[in-house]
Amino acid sequence: MRRLLDAGISAAQAARLALAEQASEAGDEGGSAGLAPLASDLGDALDRLDEPGAHAALDRLLARFTLQTVLRDVLMPYLHELGERWERGEASVAQEHFASNVLRGRLLGLARGWGQSAGPRAVLACAPGELHDLPLIMFGLALAGRGWSITYFGPDTPIATIQDALEDVEPRLVVVSATTSQRLRAAQAQLTELARHVPIALAGAGATDRLARATGASLLQGDPVTAAERLADESR
Ligand code: B12
């Protein structure tokens, strides 16, 4: 907790993260052996629309493994598989909506206070029209765990409103994510204008090197947790 406080994280957030990390160290010692059964408990509970069961499985996961491990090794693979099952018609839209809402609520609960640290600030937004904000929340959690402060706008954010917000916040970086390149291309002119005022980074499956160069942005590659760790290391 002292390390997190030194990194500028608020006491409440530091306590939450420290508890999750402390509990997790014991689990990580046992390797990932205990991870798969707990991950499958979570998936099963979400599939049968069992909210208390899903929260209990998440509690057990967070008690034994770091938040980063749970995000990278449990939630991301689960969401990918869910997408594939949905595409094949093996998971219903109801199951997919239920799972993403339970997870989103839980992650935003863990995010409470993530804007309070004295560390560098990141503004996080999905491009206009983009609703997939779970990876952006995961990115914010991982960055907050490294001492950054988060201002979160989330899904479907007009780029002009990010520019207006710069009157109130001074971010080290604005991150705009999108699943498809079309959404970023549609906002290309505003992104280019925004990049004249503040460093911006593009992320998500729709973010390409070409679009980043064309808008004067940088590109965040890899999964959200790894990208956050890399960004935090690079900006030390
Ligand atoms: C949950 C979900 C939803 C939820 C989102 C809830 C929410 N608040 O986020 C809802 C129900 C809203 C939704 C809607 C739709 N969805 Co959807 N969804 C998913 C699902 C199952 C999980 C998404 C997720 O969080 N994945 C976890 C992240 C970590 O993985 P990822 O998205 O693959 O991202 C990788 C990289 O791009 C990178 N990354 C992504 N974002 C970011 C951000 C940062 C900062 C960084 C550093 C990295 C990063 O990290 C990952 C690498 O490991 C995916 C399946 C899948 N494969 O992911 C489909 C999926 C993304 N959806 C899809 C589709 C088609 C749709 C809809 C068009 C469906 C419809 N007909 O309405 C709409 C579009 C809505 C919109 N306008 O944006 C397709 C996208 C295909 C495409 N490329 O266009 C997918 C891939 C499903 C599929 N297999 O077909 N969806």
Side-chain angles (χ1 to χ4, degrees), residues 12-124:
Q13 174 79 343
R16 251 192 307 275
L17 290 169
L19 275 173
E21 267 183 40
Q22 182 197 38
S24 70
E25 271 153 23
D28 282 354
E29 266 168 31
S32 57
L35 194 71
L38 290 178
S40 116
D41 286 351
L42 174 66
D44 291 346
L46 288 170
D47 276 357
R48 58 173 191 270
L49 311 182
D50 171 7
E51 194 209 345
H55 283 304
L58 272 166
D59 287 343
R60 287 197 296 276
L61 279 162
L62 289 167
R64 285 203 48 196
F65 299 94
T66 61
L67 178 57
Q68 285 79 354
T69 299
V70 173
L71 296 177
R72 192 161 35 202
D73 299 338
V74 178
L75 299 191
M76 289 184 209
Y78 168 75
L79 286 164
H80 282 143
E81 200 214 327
L82 180 63
E84 280 161 24
R85 286 191 292 138
W86 170 77
E87 219 180 348
R88 292 196 298 265
E90 291 166 14
S92 69
V93 172
Q95 283 171 318
E96 182 272 313
H97 277 38
F98 176 82
S100 28
N101 282 313
V102 169
L103 297 177
R104 187 170 189 275
R106 187 67 188 249
L107 294 181
L108 285 176
L110 290 169
R112 191 169 165 191
W114 65 357
Q116 289 170 14
S117 119
R121 181 169 297 275
V123 163
L124 308 184

Side-chain angles (χ1 to χ4, degrees), residues 116-168:
Q116 289 170 14
S117 119
R121 181 169 297 275
V123 163
L124 308 184
C126 294
E130 179 63 56
L131 300 183
H132 296 95
D133 76 333
L134 282 166
L136 203 59
I137 299 172
M138 295 185 205
F139 177 75
L141 283 169
L143 211 48
R146 293 298 197 95
W148 281 56
S149 195
I150 305 298
T151 300
Y152 192 70
F153 295 149
D156 190 17
T157 304
I159 304 303
T161 208
I162 303 178
Q163 182 124 9
D164 293 344
L166 298 180
E167 287 177 15
D168 298 313

Side-chain angles (χ1 to χ4, degrees), residues 182-219:
Q182 291 97 295
R183 295 215 176 90
L184 291 171
R185 270 201 299 274
Q188 194 171 326
Q190 293 107 302
L191 286 167
T192 308
E193 174 59 23
L194 183 65
R196 290 201 185 100
H197 300 272
V198 66
I200 69 171
L202 305 183
T208 61
D209 201 29
R210 201 166 160 207
L211 264 167
R213 266 187 278 118
T215 48
S218 55
L219 185 66

